[in-house]
């Protein structure tokens, strides 16, 4: 925390009002705590981006989460939710606007997963010719 405030102050003093964007940045972190390093973006960068990827089944199985924050000239692709795996992308365009971790994304509940497996099994058992 002692390093954070001087770096933030230096970033504030070095910001060119019209062209430079300052975003938080990190790579492959497990929590937002390690993603609070301010970075001066290049003049071609227009977005602060947060990408959060997670995998799991309800609260029962957690396969992990990774968080990335960076400057970008474009806002990358849309968020993707495949129920068990999700990738959440959030873009913003103001000073240090990507302070928050963009949610872990939804996860499928154990009940929904179990119901889907049961219906698949029933369909296979009731199919003629088996």
């Amino acid at each position: 925390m002692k390093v954070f405030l001087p770096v933030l102050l230096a970033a504030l003093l070095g910001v060119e009002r019209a062209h430079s964007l300052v975003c938080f940045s990190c790579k492959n972190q497990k929590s937002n705590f390690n993603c609070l390093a301010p970075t001066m973006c290049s003049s071609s960068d227009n977005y602060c981006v947060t990408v959060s990827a997670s995998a799991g089944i309800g609260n029962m199985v957690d396969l992990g989460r990774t968080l990335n924050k960076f400057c970008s000239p474009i806002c990358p692709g849309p968020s993707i939710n495949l129920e068990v795996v999700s990738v959440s992308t959030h873009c913003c365009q103001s000073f240090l606007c990507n302070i928050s971790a963009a949610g872990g994304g939804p996860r499928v509940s154990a009940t929904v997963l179990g119901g889907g497996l049961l219906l698949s099994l029933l369909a296979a058992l009731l199919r003629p010719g088996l």
Side-chain angles (χ1 to χ4, degrees):
M1 192 65 175
K2 290 180 182 180
V3 173
F4 176 73
L5 292 177
V7 170
L8 181 59
L9 181 60
L12 285 171
L13 294 175
V15 172
E16 292 178 27
R17 298 254 179 223
H19 296 95
S20 293
L21 183 62
V22 178
C23 303
F24 289 106
S25 66
C26 65
K27 289 184 181 179
N28 299 323
Q29 295 298 315
K30 300 293 180 197
S31 76
N32 198 44
F33 183 75
N34 295 323
C35 290
L36 299 176
T39 300
M40 181 80 70
C41 302
S42 74
S43 60
S44 64
D45 291 330
N46 297 314
Y47 294 93
C48 296
V49 180
T50 302
V51 178
S52 175
S54 63
I57 302 169
N59 293 328
M60 298 172 57
V61 179
D62 184 3
L63 299 176
R65 178 176 186 224
T66 185
L67 185 62
N68 293 283
K69 294 184 179 186
F70 52 93
C71 303
S72 177
I74 61 166
C75 182
S79 297
I80 299 170
N81 181 6
L82 301 176
E83 297 300 326
V84 179
V85 177
S86 68
V87 178
S88 174
T89 304
H90 175 75
C91 300
C92 54
Q93 293 182 292
S94 60
F95 182 80
L96 296 176
C97 60
N98 64 338
I99 190 167
S100 172
R107 295 181 179 198
V108 67
S109 72
T111 305
V112 171
L113 183 63
L117 290 173
L118 181 61
L119 288 174
S120 297
L121 182 60
L122 279 174
L125 292 174
L126 297 175
R127 194 169 60 185
L130 288 179

